[in-house]
Amino acid sequence: MLILGIVLFALGITISIALHEAGHMWTARALGMKVRRYYIGFGPKIFSFQRGETEYGLKAIPAGGFCDIAGMTMHDELAPDEVDRAMYKQKTWKRLVVMSGGIAMNFVLGLVLVVVLAVGWGLPNLNQPPETQLGPTSCVSDQQSDGTLAECDGVGPAEAGGLREGDLVTAVGGVPVETWPEFQAQTRTHDGPVDYTVERGGETLTVTVVPQEVQRLIKNADGTVTTATVGAIGVVPDYYAPTQYNVLSAVPASVAFTGDLMVESVKGLAQLPSKVGDLWTAVTGGERAQDTPISVVGASVIGGQAAEQGLWEMFILLLISLNFFLGIFNLLPLLPLDGGHMAVTIYEKIRNSLRIRRGQPAGGPVDYMKLMPLTYVVIVIGGAFMLLTLTADIINPIKIF
């Protein structure tokens, strides 16, 4: 099921890319431009066919695609029937519509998937509580060889010691904790009374709990699994459950959720440069942080794992996030991204408007050759970041399950 899940997620990525390029193709045709080629993938060609004036094809590496519109720049060689239909000769609004067509398709696909998620499984709350805020308490028991916990009853150590659902744990045994793995690691080292520093109702309290010794399966650095005796107190992190909707109520809820998710996507994009150090740490043997970027390969593996676990809501949410991020990323005003071409088009419009106001003729198209050095810099930096992310996903992948 893992392999099938990975293949399905990779197919979802391919469809997202195909629709992105189709957005460019459909808008270009609708506005009278000529689309020469529409290809999915890069590298060696697998097959192609001609339909009308457009050649359609598939290439071996399904990591992208392209839509070749006649006359995208002034340097494009044009056939006689393409001269008047050249993209760079079209009105500004037409060029902007075509350039934004792919981005719009990613947003539309993302919104459709959000509606599917809302009706099928429910929309998650993006404003989850802090990782170390406590959820329900329970009794504790040994972990069995299949990973499940043995049955138990009665009051667990957390409840007996006075910890409550909603408490925010800030330290265990005097050691500050900010993540749930840190909370678990500190708890497991104790077999006698330990002080938990918590925030409750605006107050800082110290609650003493006596962990109970239990058997847990521990995954070692070499991938082997062994059984160890550790301390446990019987508590799970707090979690805001998803809200499910019917078909009618799903639409406004999905629009609101989409807005929130796009805000989070913008924040994630802004944080990318600061994650280079974390990725390098992961590649060189350090711990891989959960919030580090992932490549297409890493996303496919996580999607496959989600499918293997039957968590199709996570599978769909990953595809949603991918489409929104792809759309927002392409809005960046950097060549060779769509946003870079849009920035050039807007610059030409503003420049020509100013020239006409001064009684001067409109200027010619921007010479893309003069922008090539900057384009190469973007390609090199982007390529290096993608390679670093891919390496981290292979050497030290994010572990969700």
Side-chain angles (χ1 to χ4, degrees):
M1 187 61 185
L2 174 62
I3 301 301
L4 177 60
I6 292 174
V7 171
L8 287 176
F9 196 85
L11 178 61
I13 294 175
T14 302
I15 292 173
S16 299
I17 295 171
L19 288 175
H20 177 95
E21 298 303 327
H24 293 310
M25 178 177 66
W26 293 332
T27 50
R29 282 180 176 171
L31 295 174
M33 304 175 205
K34 179 181 178 180
V35 179
R36 296 167 174 161
R37 295 181 297 163
Y38 171 83
Y39 270 78
I40 301 302
F42 293 107
K45 181 171 67 175
I46 297 177
F47 72 86
S48 67
F49 62 91
Q50 187 80 24
R51 179 166 295 175
E53 60 185 11
T54 304
E55 177 186 348
Y56 300 84
L58 177 67
K59 297 199 172 186
I61 305 174
F66 64 92
C67 174
D68 178 17
I69 303 172
M72 293 185 70
T73 73
M74 61 180 291
H75 303 287
D76 197 358
E77 293 186 10
L78 300 172
D81 67 319
E82 298 172 345
V83 174
D84 294 333
R85 302 171 66 189
M87 183 174 175
Y88 77 89
K89 294 184 177 182
Q90 306 302 311
K91 293 181 179 180
T92 300
W93 72 267
K94 289 186 177 182
R95 295 165 65 189
L96 291 176
V97 168
V98 172
M99 293 168 190
S100 61
I103 298 171
M105 286 301 298
N106 287 127
F107 290 154
V108 169
L109 177 58
L111 179 58
V112 170
L113 290 174
V114 170
V115 174
V116 171
L117 183 65
V119 175
W121 293 271
L123 297 179
N125 191 322
L126 296 178
N127 299 311
Q128 290 292 328
E131 284 192 49
T132 57
Q133 183 168 309
L134 303 183
T137 59
S138 67
C139 57
V140 297
S141 61
D142 292 333
Q143 190 174 17
Q144 303 177 103
S145 59
D146 62 357
T148 61
L149 296 176
E151 293 185 4
C152 66
D153 55 27
V155 174
E159 184 178 355
L163 289 175
R164 299 178 186 174
E165 184 175 351
D167 285 348
L168 176 61
V169 179
T170 57
V172 178
V175 178
V177 293
E178 295 183 354
T179 67
W180 193 253
E182 291 174 351
F183 173 90
Q184 288 180 307
Q186 290 303 316
T187 296
R188 288 175 171 177
T189 60
H190 295 279
D191 56 6
V194 56
D195 291 336
Y196 286 77
T197 306
V198 303
E199 293 181 3
R200 180 191 299 167
E203 296 182 294
T204 300
L205 307 174
T206 299
V207 179
T208 302
V209 178
V210 182
Q212 178 179 327
E213 289 190 341
V214 294
Q215 299 297 305
R216 289 287 185 267
L217 300 179
I218 305 297
K219 188 172 184 179
N220 304 310
D222 60 1
T224 60
V225 177
T226 56
T227 301
T229 301
V230 300
I233 63 173
V235 70
V236 295
D238 200 3
Y239 173 66
Y240 299 155
T243 303
Q244 196 162 5
Y245 300 87
N246 59 38
V247 176
L248 292 179
S249 61
V251 175
S254 297
V255 171
F257 180 82
T258 295
D260 293 339
L261 191 57
M262 290 182 70
V263 170
E264 294 301 318
S265 298
V266 170
K267 291 180 180 178
L269 182 61
Q271 293 172 356
L272 281 184
S274 67
K275 300 299 181 182
V276 172
D278 293 336
L279 285 170
W280 182 252
T281 299
V283 169
T284 53
E287 184 178 352
R288 179 76 183 269
Q290 293 280 346
D291 61 348
T292 49
I294 56 177
S295 66
V296 172
V297 172
S300 297
V301 171
I302 294 175
Q305 292 173 344
E308 183 182 33
Q309 298 288 331
L311 299 175
W312 293 104
E313 63 273 29
M314 178 182 289
F315 183 96
I316 294 175
L317 187 58
L318 279 171
L319 278 178
I320 292 170
S321 301
L322 175 74
N323 274 278
F324 286 146
F325 186 84
L326 181 61
I328 292 172
F329 182 75
N330 268 286
L331 280 173
L332 291 177
L334 300 170
L335 290 171
L337 302 177
D338 294 333
H341 292 286
M342 294 168 70
V344 170
T345 300
I346 293 172
Y347 163 76
E348 289 180 353
K349 179 64 176 179
I350 295 175
R351 178 204 61 188
N352 290 341
S353 296
L354 293 176
R355 289 177 64 88
I356 291 172
R357 286 184 180 182
R358 293 195 296 262
Q360 299 173 331
V366 166
D367 186 352
Y368 272 75
M369 296 304 296
K370 294 181 179 179
L371 298 175
M372 288 308 294
L374 180 60
T375 303
Y376 288 140
V377 170
V378 173
I379 292 174
V380 169
I381 293 176
F385 186 84
M386 291 175 62
L387 181 60
L388 179 62
T389 305
L390 176 61
T391 304
D393 286 336
I394 295 174
I395 295 177
N396 191 0
I398 291 177
K399 298 177 177 63
I400 300 296
F401 302 99

